[in-house]
Structure formats: C-alpha cells, structure tokens
Amino acid sequence: MTAIEDFLTDCDLRMHKSIDATRTEFNSVRTGRASAALLDRITIDYYGTPTPLNNMATISAPEARLLSIQPYDASQIKAIEKAIQESDLGLTPSNDGKLIRLPIPQLTEERRKELVKLVRKYGEEGKVAIRNVRRDVMKHLEELVRNGEVGDDEELRGEKQVQKLTDEHTTAIDDLIKHKEAEIMEV
C-alpha cells in the first residue's frame, strides 16, 4: 500500500468518526418523544468526579412522553435532579425518593425552531471537523511531494480522492441534519 493510500484510508476513517460524533450530538437533542439518549450529555459531580448520568442510574422510557431514572445510589437523587435542571434540555424532574420522573412536554413552535438551529450548529461543527481532516491530509500529500516520495500527478489524484471523500461525508451530514429537522418539526 502506498503512502497516499494510507492517508486516504486514514482520512476516510477520521471523517466517519466526525459523522458518528455529529450523530451522537443529534441524539441528545430533544424531539417530541422520550429517549434515554436525551440524557447522554448530562454529567453529575459524584464524590468529586464528573460522572455520566447513564453510569450512575438506569434510564428508561416507560411511556412516549416520560423518562424514569433509577439511581444506583439513592443519595445522589438531588445531585441528578440539579444536573438535569441546569442542563439546556428545559426539563423539570420530580422524584419520590427512589425514582426520578422526567415528563417530556410537547414542544412549542418556538422551541422547535431553537432546536433546529442547535441541530444546524452541530451539523456545521461536524462539517468543520471533516474539512479539518481534509486540510490535514492535503498538507501531508504536499509533504510527500516536497520530500520526493511521490510525483505531482499522484498528489493531484490523491487530492481529488480526498475532495471526493470530503464531499461524500459533508453530504452525509447534510442528510443527518435534514432527517433530524424533520423529526423535530413533526407535530
């Protein structure tokens, strides 16, 4: 395998990771339905260590508009409630001493538009990450030419392939954005 092929393989892998990261961000954006993924970004200060909520509790969606959180350590209920209230989710938890219930209210038109803006922001961050990978690989290709390891023609072919990968991956993010926007705007 040539050095250019190595860079292209690495480029494709890193761009896929950017898409996966964007998809994960999208999962944490609230739609009208209850989903445990909503709470993926919530971390709680557990005895001085920031700990993800899903490592501290069982999260389930017993109904379409309700999440239930069962902490492994009941003494952490207040800390979990506080973390949820301070998050950007706009949800109000209630507890009965053992279980936290998180009702998911119907989204208002205004809130839907805010969420669409948030999704577009996350999508743009994903595209920026992909373009950064492209810039990185292009720089490495130029170094190969400078060091005399490959010729100009090979570099040009490699750059075209990198651009093709970049276009494919940004299109994939655009598709994710469209899908998530439709999900949010669905009443």
Side-chain angles (χ1 to χ4, degrees):
M1 203 146 92
T2 67
I4 289 179
E5 289 170 342
D6 287 342
F7 284 129
L8 290 173
T9 304
D10 179 54
C11 175
D12 190 40
L13 187 69
R14 288 169 57 197
M15 287 182 178
H16 268 300
K17 285 181 181 174
S18 296
I19 290 175
D20 290 342
T22 303
R23 187 176 289 120
T24 302
E25 287 287 340
F26 283 1
N27 285 343
S28 68
V29 174
R30 190 167 78 116
T31 58
R33 286 178 228 97
S35 162
L38 282 176
L39 304 174
D40 282 354
R41 288 183 298 156
I42 306 273
T43 56
I44 289 88
D45 184 28
Y46 188 59
Y47 298 110
T49 307
T51 308
L53 175 58
N54 52 10
N55 290 356
M56 293 180 61
T58 303
I59 303 168
S60 61
E63 298 170 25
R65 297 208 177 278
L66 180 72
L67 284 175
S68 68
I69 304 161
Q70 176 87 49
Y72 302 132
D73 180 356
S75 68
Q76 293 300 308
I77 282 189
K78 289 286 180 216
I80 292 171
E81 276 189 325
K82 185 176 178 217
I84 292 169
Q85 286 171 335
E86 290 173 352
S87 73
D88 61 357
L89 292 174
L91 300 174
T92 309
S94 63
N95 81 66
D96 62 7
K98 294 186 180 114
L99 184 76
I100 298 173
R101 286 184 183 75
L102 201 56
I104 311 290
Q106 187 72 21
L107 292 172
T108 63
E109 188 66 25
E110 186 179 316
R111 183 70 177 138
R112 287 176 197 275
K113 288 178 180 167
E114 285 174 25
L115 291 174
V116 165
K117 284 181 189 171
L118 186 65
V119 163
R120 287 181 181 154
K121 179 181 146 233
Y122 289 154
E124 190 53 41
E125 288 170 2
K127 289 184 199 176
V128 167
I130 287 171
R131 289 192 292 265
N132 287 340
V133 170
R134 178 187 65 190
R135 186 191 63 222
D136 243 18
V137 172
M138 294 291 206
K139 189 171 68 180
H140 288 300
L141 291 175
E142 288 169 12
E143 283 175 16
L144 288 176
V145 171
R146 228 178 294 126
N147 296 341
E149 293 175 43
V150 296
D152 289 337
D153 291 347
E154 290 177 66
E155 180 204 15
L156 197 59
R157 263 195 301 278
E159 285 179 357
K160 282 181 181 168
Q161 287 176 301
V162 169
Q163 187 57 51
K164 184 178 172 216
L165 284 172
T166 304
D167 294 342
E168 287 171 8
H169 289 84
T170 50
T171 302
I173 286 188
D174 285 335
D175 293 343
L176 285 174
I177 292 170
K178 278 186 204 132
H179 178 76
K180 191 65 177 185
E181 281 181 11
E183 199 178 304
I184 289 169
M185 295 312 280
E186 175 188 311
V187 179

